[in-house]
Amino acid sequence: MDWHTLSAKQATASLKSDIENGLNEHTAKNLLIKNGENKLNTQKKTSLLQQFLSQFSDFCVIILFIACIISFLTSLIEGSRDFVEPIVILLIVILNAAIGVYQERRAERALEALQKMSAPDASVIRAGKIKKIPAAQLVTGDIILLESGDMVPADARLITSNSLKVQESALTGESEPCSKDANAVFRSDCPPADRKNMIFSSTTVLAGNCKAVVTETGMNTQVGKIAHLLADEESPQTPLQIRLGKIGKALGIGALVICAFVFILGLVRQSGILPSFMLSVSLAVAAIPEGLPAIVTIVLSMGVQRMAKSNAIIRHLPAVETLGATTVICSDKTGTLTQNKMTVTQIRDLSGEISLTGSRAENLLMLGSLCNNSRAVKQGKKVSFVGDPTETAILSAYADCNKNFFNLEKDYPRLHETPFSSEKKMMATVNLFAGKTRLIVKGAPDVVLSACSKVVSGNSDIPVSPALRQKILNHNELMAKEALRVIAVAYRDCDSSNDHEERDLIFCGLIGMIDPPRPEAAKAVAICKKAGITPVMITGDHIVTACAVAEKLGILEKDGTAITGSELDSFSDSKLAEIIGSCRVFARVSPEHKVRIVKAFRAKGEIVAMTGDGVNDAPALKAADIGCAMGKGGTDVAKNAADMILTDDNFATIVKAVERGRGIYDNIKKAVHFLLGTNIGEILAVFAASLLGFEAPLIPIQLLWVNLVTDSLPAMALGTEKTEKDIMHRAPVQPSKGFFSDGMWIDITLEGMLIGTVTILAYLIGCFSFGAQSSLVLGRTMAFCTISFCEIAHAVNMRSSLPLYKAGFFSNKAMTWAVIVCCAVQASVIVIKPLANVFGVISLNGTQWLIIAALSLVPLFIGEIGKILFSHKK
């Protein structure tokens, strides 16, 4: 029901309650049984075992698992009892599953944080008596009492309110406290942020007190609707996950086709079923880059460590890569692009705008600070201001003018106060001024001005003529057009402290304030636009304020448009998709609107990052490709729904994170390029030998060693390459653009053919070129060493598109150590007899080692020659 459309009496009657006496205990108990407790539902978590088992649904993992079973059965049937190969393959399958769980084990604590925000207790009228009960036991129809400092325990319709102000920024995105009015009634299409006769669960009462009737509890509250959105919204797969999934599936299908062909070819040649099976297993193991998931995870982890030093904490590893591909940043305004702190930015008197630190401004701000209930708190050398944001802004501005502001109340003691009310739209105090009493008034400019008979003009007071009145209103209009919140200040000297009627006032001036943009935000926006990223503001604030801030930051330009949540409701999904490309500001939006906007951008193929700090941002943070929450000022709900937390609450940090993300994406691409090239080389070596009628040049355990040891360290070292200098001058990687675009597949295939060719050549030399010493084992040993060293050399080749003498031979220390370690470990497998027995190899003489070294360096030499010839194109 639209409770804001009903009067307090109508709402209470509809809920079968009584304004004075509330519900009786019996009715309340029955409603609690019927509707459940006033708390948010928890989502059933997937168990660790379920997550682990789900990893085995991956196509490549299934192939490896089948290869493991075939290898085990073959060893059993042959009676060799040599289960090293199936055990190693099984360990690889389990390791991949563990890595998958690690990547997916993202803590879903958003709903728990929402529950913690709920008020623990509530003051309620039951059967005519005021009592404290747990907030969870509140039911619809309960009459609740709230005062300053209380957290609202449920959604409720106000019955009475006295100078009530509620902080709703975390729910609605509006930075200013919301003044409430129990007597107001609104239309059904009025958005939650404008329902002044309603209070909402998990918001906080800043000033005043009220009586209200509970209208919604638990998951039916506004914050409960957000909980529904969080529970229903699934985090999208990142571009990297999608691309790697496609790669894995393509490799798996290709491996199955080749395996089937080789198996049939073996049967036709009457090679026997078991040998044909084992050859197929070798091909399956060769085709699948077993170390790829682990290497990508490790490269991402290294990137996460570097990003943490730049104040960006990554909660979800693939988010690093997603940052680099981001094309749209949807940013909340309050606390993200702005400081979430009302600040006086303009002061005007009759003559026009005046200096914020001059004597005229100081006098005006002093009066505004006396008619003020905020206070300054000193902690060591640091001074902070506590109270209503509008009032703290005035007091803070006065403190900048006069360092003795702490003595203000002592020097001019307050004798009387008339609190602010939504009806009068102003506040008044009576203070003692050097033995005289002075009435000071601040409030809405039009209301204050109507109570004035004079105006300060220079050092004197002159009567307010119609022309002067219009001049002051024009000043007010100019300030309002800049989205400033304008407060008027006036005064008159009284005969006594009992004379506090707001009449015959002397108008002093206008104080304009706004939640200002962060100083570094404009530069960050400019860098984003230069990098091909579109910044978009999404806020619950008024459209005038939103547009003013967006224009200052450079988000809203001449070709951009701004729309409100009400306009958004009138658009169909197709219409929204049609216009969203030009929209730069969305104002007065609800959490549902934010999710819809994010989804509309994603539907157009954009990679969307959403930044925010409030409860209202959480569903959109989760729906976006990457959610970025603020670490200092952000709510727990936003942090737990996000992929990345900015620990300094600085929008500019996201620019650094994007740069890091792009660098990491480049490095991952190099690692994938390297690994797939080497895997194709292994496939071609085994496949070509089969077509030529030879035994497999490499057995499964040797292929596993190459894929997991001599490939992995160099691939990880590729992940440490420095970010290229021009990376933020490039456009983002297009989501529709394939991972292997720009001829990358051709490069990978040619490199694989070259690696496969030198491996087969080494195998044939070992089998036939050493007379009596030649044998299948020698051929396999030489092939094993050649492909291992060849791939190590190829990793060096993959470091940069520039020749090594330009990129720097030893500029990547991690690669230098990876080469040394991998070469030493590979040599030890041949030299150390127990290891040689496990891997089915024999020791080599000097000539054989020289041949292996020469063949292994062929791809590096050819690659460097190609770079030198074509480097001018780079």
Side-chain angles (χ1 to χ4, degrees):
M1 185 178 287
D2 293 328
W3 300 104
H4 57 283
T5 64
L6 305 178
S7 68
K9 286 184 179 179
Q10 289 172 326
T12 308
S14 297
L15 293 162
K16 298 178 181 178
S17 186
D18 183 272
I19 289 176
E20 298 301 327
N21 299 314
L23 300 172
N24 60 50
E25 292 292 352
H26 179 72
T27 303
K29 187 177 180 180
N30 288 339
L31 284 170
L32 189 63
I33 294 169
K34 179 184 175 183
N35 299 327
E37 290 190 326
N38 176 36
K39 61 183 184 181
L40 302 176
N41 297 336
T42 54
Q43 192 177 20
K44 190 176 180 182
K45 292 182 180 179
T46 306
S47 70
L48 191 63
L49 179 62
Q50 286 174 317
Q51 276 194 317
F52 183 74
L53 293 176
S54 69
Q55 304 303 314
F56 294 96
S57 61
D58 183 80
F59 194 71
C60 287
V61 172
I62 291 170
I63 294 172
L64 277 176
F65 200 68
I66 293 170
C68 173
I69 294 170
I70 291 172
S71 181
F72 178 79
L73 292 174
T74 303
S75 297
L76 201 62
I77 293 168
E78 288 181 337
S80 65
R81 303 291 179 183
D82 182 7
F83 300 122
V84 174
E85 286 179 4
I87 288 171
V88 171
I89 296 172
L90 183 62
L91 287 173
I92 298 310
V93 171
I94 294 171
L95 178 63
N96 277 341
I99 290 167
V101 170
Y102 173 75
Q103 286 180 305
E104 290 180 10
R105 198 66 178 174
R106 184 181 179 184
E108 293 291 346
R109 293 190 295 267
L111 293 178
E112 293 172 14
L114 279 167
Q115 286 180 311
K116 288 177 185 176
M117 286 182 66
S118 300
D121 292 303
S123 292
V124 61
I125 299 175
R126 290 262 178 97
K129 295 180 180 179
I130 300 173
K131 58 191 298 189
K132 284 264 189 186
I133 65 169
Q137 292 180 17
L138 280 177
V139 296
T140 53
D142 264 328
I143 306 299
I144 56 173
L145 303 172
L146 296 167
E147 58 187 20
S148 179
D150 287 344
M151 185 176 280
V152 180
D155 288 5
R157 170 62 167 91
L158 291 171
I159 297 171
T160 62
S161 60
N162 298 308
S163 304
L164 184 66
K165 288 190 177 184
V166 181
Q167 180 57 267
E168 297 180 341
S169 63
L171 185 67
T172 65
E174 195 166 350
S175 56
E176 296 178 19
C178 183
S179 296
K180 297 293 184 177
D181 182 2
N183 298 320
V185 175
F186 299 94
R187 297 191 316 175
S188 59
D189 61 351
C190 178
D194 292 332
R195 296 173 191 172
K196 307 299 183 186
N197 57 3
M198 298 289 297
I199 51 177
F200 301 109
S201 176
S202 299
T203 60
T204 306
V205 177
L206 284 184
N209 55 67
C210 69
K211 179 194 282 189
V213 58
V214 174
T215 55
E216 304 289 355
T217 60
M219 295 298 286
N220 293 322
T221 61
Q222 289 295 318
V223 78
K225 290 176 182 177
I226 294 175
H228 272 302
L229 289 172
L230 284 172
D232 296 340
E233 198 59 53
E234 290 186 6
S235 298
Q237 277 195 310
T238 69
L240 181 62
Q241 288 172 319
I242 294 168
R243 287 165 178 156
L244 291 180
K246 287 179 179 178
I247 292 167
K249 195 167 186 179
L251 286 172
I253 292 170
L256 288 178
V257 171
I258 295 172
C259 288
F261 178 78
V262 169
F263 181 68
I264 293 168
L265 186 65
L267 294 181
V268 170
R269 290 178 173 172
Q270 298 181 345
S271 301
I273 293 176
L274 291 180
S276 299
F277 257 134
M278 286 310 296
L279 185 58
S280 297
V281 169
S282 296
L283 275 171
V285 172
I288 297 169
E290 292 85 0
L292 183 58
I295 288 162
V296 170
T297 300
I298 291 165
V299 170
L300 288 171
S301 297
M302 290 189 291
V304 166
Q305 291 171 6
R306 290 198 297 271
M307 290 176 77
K309 294 176 183 177
S310 301
N311 298 313
I313 295 174
I314 301 296
R315 297 184 65 247
H316 194 203
L317 284 180
V320 178
E321 175 266 341
T322 313
L323 267 174
T326 297
T327 57
V328 174
I329 297 177
C330 293
S331 176
D332 182 52
K333 177 184 75 69
T334 307
T336 306
L337 290 165
T338 65
Q339 299 174 30
N340 200 14
K341 176 187 174 185
M342 293 298 286
T343 305
V344 174
T345 58
Q346 192 177 130
I347 296 177
R348 288 175 181 256
D349 62 10
L350 184 63
S351 63
E353 187 172 351
I354 61 176
S355 168
L356 293 176
T357 55
S359 58
R360 286 189 291 171
E362 182 181 346
N363 185 56
L364 180 60
L365 290 168
M366 182 185 73
L367 293 174
S369 298
L370 286 169
C371 184
N372 192 318
N373 286 323
S374 64
R375 68 184 192 278
V377 178
K378 196 168 185 178
Q379 295 176 326
K381 293 183 179 180
K382 187 178 179 183
V383 177
S384 59
F385 300 93
V386 180
D388 178 271
T390 300
E391 295 192 327
T392 58
I394 295 171
L395 184 57
S396 176
Y398 178 64
D400 291 336
C401 294
N402 191 320
K403 301 303 178 186
N404 295 319
F405 65 95
F406 270 107
N407 299 322
L408 193 63
E409 289 184 12
K410 188 189 295 182
D411 294 340
Y412 307 100
R414 183 180 298 184
L415 305 176
H416 175 80
E417 176 188 341
T418 303
F420 176 88
S421 69
S422 54
E423 293 82 13
K424 295 184 73 172
K425 294 186 178 178
M426 57 179 160
M427 171 188 178
T429 63
V430 177
N431 295 74
L432 198 61
F433 267 72
K436 297 188 296 183
T437 55
R438 176 170 288 184
L439 174 72
I440 306 169
V441 176
K442 74 171 177 27
D446 55 334
V447 177
V448 172
L449 186 58
S450 67
C452 293
S453 58
K454 294 182 178 181
V455 58
V456 175
S457 178
N459 296 321
S460 60
D461 306 331
I462 60 175
V464 179
S465 64
L468 291 179
R469 189 178 301 275
Q470 188 56 51
K471 185 177 181 180
I472 293 167
L473 291 174
N474 289 342
H475 285 318
N476 178 47
E477 188 176 346
L478 287 171
M479 296 171 79
K481 282 182 179 178
E482 295 181 44
L484 298 177
R485 181 174 187 181
V486 185
I487 300 294
V489 178
Y491 77 97
R492 72 176 171 87
D493 291 328
C494 312
D495 295 329
S496 71
S497 60
N498 295 323
D499 179 13
H500 41 76
E501 185 180 348
E502 296 94 357
R503 59 174 174 77
D504 297 328
L505 301 174
I506 301 170
F507 188 87
C508 291
L510 302 169
I511 303 172
M513 63 196 73
I514 196 171
D515 179 12
R518 290 177 174 274
E520 64 284 339
K523 184 180 178 182
V525 167
I527 294 172
C528 283
K529 290 164 80 172
K530 194 173 183 179
I533 301 167
T534 303
V536 175
M537 180 189 289
I538 304 180
T539 179
D541 220 334
H542 293 281
I543 192 164
V544 175
T545 306
C547 288
V549 174
E551 286 173 0
K552 284 181 181 178
L553 292 174
I555 292 174
L556 183 62
E557 296 178 313
K558 291 181 181 179
D559 57 343
T561 57
I563 62 173
T564 64
S566 299
E567 292 174 297
L568 198 62
D569 285 330
S570 66
F571 295 150
S572 64
D573 288 342
S574 58
K575 176 66 176 176
L576 180 59
E578 185 182 324
I579 67 162
I580 201 161
S582 63
C583 292
R584 295 294 177 268
V585 176
F586 295 88
R588 304 306 275 173
V589 295
S590 68
E592 292 88 347
H593 289 143
K594 291 187 177 188
V595 175
R596 193 176 170 208
I597 293 163
V598 169
K599 287 186 174 180
F601 275 118
R602 293 192 68 243
K604 287 181 72 71
E606 306 286 359
I607 300 296
V608 183
M610 168 74 184
T611 68
D613 59 355
V615 176
N616 60 322
D617 297 321
L621 286 172
K622 192 172 179 185
D625 293 283
I626 176 165
C628 311
M630 301 296 130
K632 284 183 180 176
T635 60
D636 285 344
V637 182
K639 291 175 190 176
N640 290 323
D643 301 279
M644 181 175 80
I645 299 170
L646 307 178
T647 59
D648 58 355
D649 283 17
N650 192 337
F651 178 79
T653 301
I654 198 170
V655 179
K656 296 177 187 174
V658 168
E659 183 177 354
R660 294 279 191 191
R662 289 188 177 188
I664 291 165
Y665 177 77
D666 268 5
N667 290 344
I668 287 173
K669 197 170 180 179
K670 290 173 186 176
V672 172
H673 184 155
F674 163 69
L675 289 171
L676 293 185
T678 58
N679 273 70
I680 287 174
E682 294 163 22
I683 293 169
L684 292 176
V686 176
F687 186 57
S690 175
L691 286 177
L692 295 171
F694 297 113
E695 293 281 345
L698 298 161
I699 58 177
I701 194 169
Q702 292 171 348
L703 289 165
L704 283 171
W705 173 265
V706 171
N707 286 353
L708 292 169
V709 180
T710 56
D711 278 1
S712 295
L713 284 177
M716 283 185 270
L718 286 172
T720 66
E721 284 292 330
K722 292 179 181 178
T723 303
E724 295 183 26
K725 292 179 181 178
D726 67 338
I727 204 155
M728 289 303 283
H729 295 173
R730 307 177 196 168
V733 177
Q734 294 178 14
S736 57
K737 198 172 184 180
F739 197 69
F740 302 105
S741 55
D742 301 327
M744 186 171 161
W745 256 128
I746 297 171
D747 291 344
I748 290 172
T749 304
L750 290 174
E751 290 158 7
M753 290 174 66
L754 187 58
I755 291 168
T757 300
V758 295
T759 303
I760 285 290
L761 188 56
Y763 172 68
L764 294 176
I765 290 171
C767 286
F768 303 109
S769 300
F770 291 98
Q773 194 183 351
S774 297
S775 66
L776 176 61
V777 176
L778 178 60
R780 282 178 171 168
T781 302
M782 291 188 69
F784 180 38
C785 288
T786 299
I787 199 165
S788 294
F789 292 127
C790 187
E791 291 180 6
I792 293 167
H794 183 49
V796 175
N797 193 36
M798 287 302 306
R799 282 184 51 210
S800 173
S801 58
L802 297 172
L804 273 176
Y805 70 88
K806 287 186 178 180
F809 285 94
F810 305 107
S811 58
N812 185 338
K813 292 181 180 179
M815 180 61 77
T816 303
W817 281 108
V819 170
I820 293 169
V821 171
C822 285
C823 288
V825 170
Q826 179 62 33
S828 68
V829 169
I830 308 301
V831 175
I832 300 171
K833 196 164 181 64
L835 289 176
N837 292 337
V838 171
F839 285 91
V841 294
I842 58 174
S843 59
L844 302 170
N845 61 35
T847 303
Q848 291 157 354
W849 279 114
L850 285 172
I851 292 170
I852 289 167
L855 291 172
S856 299
L857 292 172
V858 168
L860 178 61
F861 285 136
I862 292 175
E864 285 301 299
I865 290 168
K867 288 178 188 179
I868 292 167
L869 292 175
F870 299 106
S871 62
H872 64 281
K873 291 185 179 181
K874 304 292 181 183

